[in-house]
Amino acid sequence: MANLRTPLYDWHAAHKGRMVPFAGWDMPVQYAGIIEEHKAVRTGAGLFDVSHMARLSFDGPDTLPLLEEVFTNSVAGMKEGQVRYGLICREDGGILDDVLVYKWPYGYAMVVNAGNREKIVAWLTERAAGKQVKLIDQTFDTCLIAVQGPKAVELVSGLFADDVSKLKYYYATPTRYRNAGCMVSRTGYTGEDGFEVGLPNALAVPFWEELIAKGAVPCGLGARDTLRLEAAMPLYGHELNEQTDPISAGLGWAVKLDKGEFVGRQALKELPDTRPVRVGLELDGKRAAREGSEVFVDGSALGAVTSGSFVPHLQKSIAMAYLPKKYAAVGTPVLIDLRGTKVDAKVVPLPFYRRKS
Amino acid sequence: MTTPPDLRYATSHEWVKLDGDVATVGVTKFAVEQLTEPTFLELKKVGLTVKPGDEVGIIESVKSTSSIYAPVAGEVIAVNADAVNDLAKVNDDPFGGGWMLKIKLAPGASLDHLLTATQYDAQIAGH
C-alpha cells in the first residue's frame, strides 16, 4: 500500500527533503542537514510539517465521560482553550498512546501519534459504544505545522487575526490566517517555545513559505527526534509502549489517580515497586548509544537504551533507558554495551536540556 | 549521480582506488548522505590483516551507527587521522580528503569481486 502524503509532500520533494517512510506516511527526515536544523530551532526558529499526527474530534453529550474514561489526566477541570498531555492506557496500565486533549468552545479534540491513529480510533470507538458521542477523524481535513524556537513568537507576529503571543503555554485558540479559519496552539515537541498551527490544506504551502521568507528553517523528522531527545520528551514506540506504564516512564504528573475511574487506574495504583524506571544517561566520549544497547550495573545487564544520540546542541552523547529503581539515582555509574565495547556512562537528571525562560 | 567512474565499490558502500598494490578505501557519498552528517569515526589500527567483509571501522551520525568493512584482503598500512579528527572531510569530500584506510593487497588479492561504478549506481538507484 502506498504511503500517505501531507499537503506539503510536493514542497518537501522539490526542496531537497529526503523522504522516508514513517508511520505509514512519506515524511522528510531532513533538508539541509539534521545538525543545522537542530541548531536553528535552539537559536532561531524551525518549521516542521507534523500533518501526519492524527487529529480526532468528538461530538455529543457523552464526550466528557468518554474522555475521562480513557485519558489518565483530568479533563473536567480544563478551561476553554486549554491543552492537556496525558496517556491512554490499557486495563493493565500499559500505554496505548500519549496524546494531547484540547478543550474548544464547541467541544473536545485530541492529537494522537501518527503510528497509533488506527489503534486509538478503534479503542475509542469500542469505548464509545452505548454512549452518545461521535468520533470524527479529521486528520486528512487539515494540515498541522509547528513553528518552534526562541524566534517563533516574533516570526508569527502579525500573521493571524489574533495576537497569539499572548497565548499561555499549553493553551490554544481558534483564529484566522488569510481570512480562513485556523487554530494556533502554544505547544511543541522540541523543548523550545513555539506554536503548532492547524490550517486548511490549501494554505499549507502559503503559510510554510511565508514563514521561510521570514527566516524559519524547514526541519525534518531527524531534527525533531534529536530535539525531543535533548528535551527528554518520551517518544511512543521507544520510551513508551504497551509494556511500559506512565508512572515508570516518569509521567506520573499526567496521571490523576484521584480524578475518578479511568481505564488502567487500578493497575497504576497497585503498580509493583519492582518496575524499572526511565532514566537519563550521559556517556563518556562521542560514541552514541542506540535503542537496544544494554546497560550494565555491577557487571549485570539490568536495562536497555530506548533512545540515544550524540546531540547537536549539547554536544554530548546522551541516552534514555529503563533501569531498576535502586540504580536510577543521579550519579549512578553504568556501562553501556556499544557493539561489544563497554562505554562508561552515568545517570543524569532529566531533561538533558531546558530552555532559559 | 556523483559516483566516480574510475573506482570500484562494495555493496556495503565502501569505495576502493587501486594504486599499484595499495588500495585506498573510503565510504561513498551516497552512504554519507544516507547516514547524515558524521559525528564519530573510529578506524582499526595500522598493521591489521583483513579479508573482505572484516570490520575496519565504525561511523556514526546523530541518527545511526554503521560499520565500515574491508572491501579487499590485505594489511592496513595507513589510516586517515585527519578524517577521524575532522569529520567534515568525510562529509564534504568522501571520495577525496575523506578517505579512511590504505590496505596493501595480499598476494593474489584483487578487486574483481567489487562493483563497477555503473553497477553501484544501479544498486543505489534501487534503494
Side-chain angles (χ1 to χ4, degrees), chain A residues 71-93:
Chain A
F71 190 56
T72 60
N73 211 333
S74 168
V75 183
M78 287 175 72
K79 298 190 181 73
E80 206 166 279
Q82 196 170 1
V83 186
R84 234 170 224 175
Y85 176 86
L87 296 305
I88 296 178
C89 288
R90 310 192 303 198
E91 287 288 358
D92 68 357

Side-chain angles (χ1 to χ4, degrees), chain A residues 18, chain B residues 1-5 9 13 28-34 94-95 116-127:
Chain A
R18 187 192 303 156
Chain B
M1 249 352 250
T2 48
T3 305
Y9 300 88
H13 306 290
T28 65
K29 188 171 175 61
F30 174 81
V32 172
E33 283 175 357
Q34 289 299 308
F95 292 115
T116 63
T118 309
Q119 289 167 329
Y120 181 70
D121 276 344
Q123 179 193 319
I124 62 181
H127 171 81

Side-chain angles (χ1 to χ4, degrees), chain A residues 33-46:
Chain A
I34 295 173
I35 295 172
E36 190 178 324
E37 293 164 22
H38 181 116
K39 288 178 174 172
V41 174
R42 290 277 179 257
T43 57

Side-chain angles (χ1 to χ4, degrees), chain A residues 203-214:
Chain A
L203 288 176
V205 172
F207 181 74
W208 183 267
E209 291 191 327
E210 184 162 8
L211 280 158
I212 289 172
K214 285 169 168 268

Side-chain angles (χ1 to χ4, degrees), chain A:
Chain A
M1 205 173 73
N3 280 325
L4 298 165
R5 293 177 172 185
T6 79
L8 284 159
Y9 176 88
D10 289 341
W11 192 96
H12 301 318
H15 293 81
K16 296 191 174 171
R18 187 192 303 156
M19 307 308 288
V20 297
F22 178 81
W25 294 75
D26 278 328
M27 298 298 292
V29 67
Q30 65 159 43
Y31 307 85
I34 295 173
I35 295 172
E36 190 178 324
E37 293 164 22
H38 181 116
K39 288 178 174 172
V41 174
R42 290 277 179 257
T43 57
L47 206 50
F48 300 82
D49 179 8
V50 287
S51 305
H52 61 308
M53 301 286 291
R55 282 146 286 148
L56 313 177
S57 82
F58 300 84
D59 196 18
D62 289 340
T63 297
L64 184 59
L66 172 68
L67 290 174
E68 290 287 25
E69 181 184 324
V70 299
F71 190 56
T72 60
N73 211 333
S74 168
V75 183
M78 287 175 72
K79 298 190 181 73
E80 206 166 279
Q82 196 170 1
V83 186
R84 234 170 224 175
Y85 176 86
L87 296 305
I88 296 178
C89 288
R90 310 192 303 198
E91 287 288 358
D92 68 357
I95 302 171
L96 287 164
D97 200 8
D98 62 333
V99 305
L100 294 181
V101 167
Y102 283 73
K103 180 170 183 176
W104 293 116
Y106 44 82
Y108 293 90
M110 186 184 276
V111 178
V112 170
N113 279 300
N116 289 333
R117 180 170 55 87
E118 288 169 2
K119 177 176 84 174
I120 294 301
V121 167
W123 178 261
L124 293 173
T125 303
E126 190 182 317
R127 291 275 157 183
K131 293 189 180 75
Q132 285 191 303
V133 53
K134 195 171 146 209
L135 174 66
I136 307 138
D137 183 350
Q138 298 187 312
T139 309
F140 305 101
D141 301 346
T142 58
C143 65
L144 190 64
I145 293 172
V147 191
Q148 300 278 299
K151 294 201 173 137
V153 170
E154 182 189 322
L155 259 60
V156 303
S157 148
L159 290 186
F160 302 106
D162 299 275
D163 179 6
V164 296
S165 72
K166 294 201 169 65
L167 267 181
K168 285 189 283 186
Y169 191 52
Y170 268 69
Y171 274 82
T173 184
T175 181
R176 299 184 78 75
Y177 173 72
R178 298 195 185 190
N179 284 322
C182 69
M183 81 90 191
V184 179
S185 171
R186 193 103 182 223
T187 48
Y189 194 52
T190 60
E192 296 301 331
D193 189 11
F195 304 94
E196 290 172 303
V197 182
L199 296 151
N201 286 335
L203 288 176
V205 172
F207 181 74
W208 183 267
E209 291 191 327
E210 184 162 8
L211 280 158
I212 289 172
K214 285 169 168 268
V217 173
C219 300
L221 292 178
R224 186 166 159 84
D225 191 39
T226 51
L227 287 157
R228 71 92 199 168
L229 173 60
E230 278 185 346
M233 291 167 156
L235 174 59
Y236 197 87
H238 298 264
E239 284 69 38
L240 312 180
N241 56 51
E242 293 183 22
Q243 280 66 52
T244 59
D245 68 84
I247 312 293
S248 307
L251 303 172
W253 57 272
V255 180
K256 298 294 186 286
L257 291 173
D258 54 2
K259 76 167 190 173
E261 264 318 311
F262 62 87
V263 181
R265 176 170 175 264
Q266 203 56 36
L268 293 174
K269 270 177 79 171
E270 294 162 1
L271 212 59
D273 206 37
T274 51
R275 302 202 82 169
V277 295
R278 179 164 64 105
V279 298
L281 300 172
E282 187 177 318
L283 287 75
D284 286 358
K286 296 183 85 171
R287 283 202 66 184
R290 303 297 181 193
E291 184 174 14
S293 300
E294 286 189 309
V295 182
F296 288 75
V297 191
D298 297 337
S300 308
L302 294 178
V305 166
T306 50
S307 299
S309 182
F310 183 82
V311 285
H313 177 76
L314 295 175
Q315 289 281 306
K316 283 176 183 171
S317 176
I318 59 172
M320 291 193 274
Y322 278 86
L323 279 180
K325 249 180 214 160
K326 61 188 284 202
Y327 301 112
V330 168
T332 305
V334 303
L335 289 169
I336 304 182
D337 187 335
L338 304 182
R339 298 181 168 211
T341 306
K342 290 212 175 67
V343 173
D344 283 303
K346 63 174 189 290
V347 178
V348 296
L350 294 178
F352 305 101
Y353 167 84
R354 195 192 298 274
R355 74 173 179 268
K356 293 177 190 79
S357 49

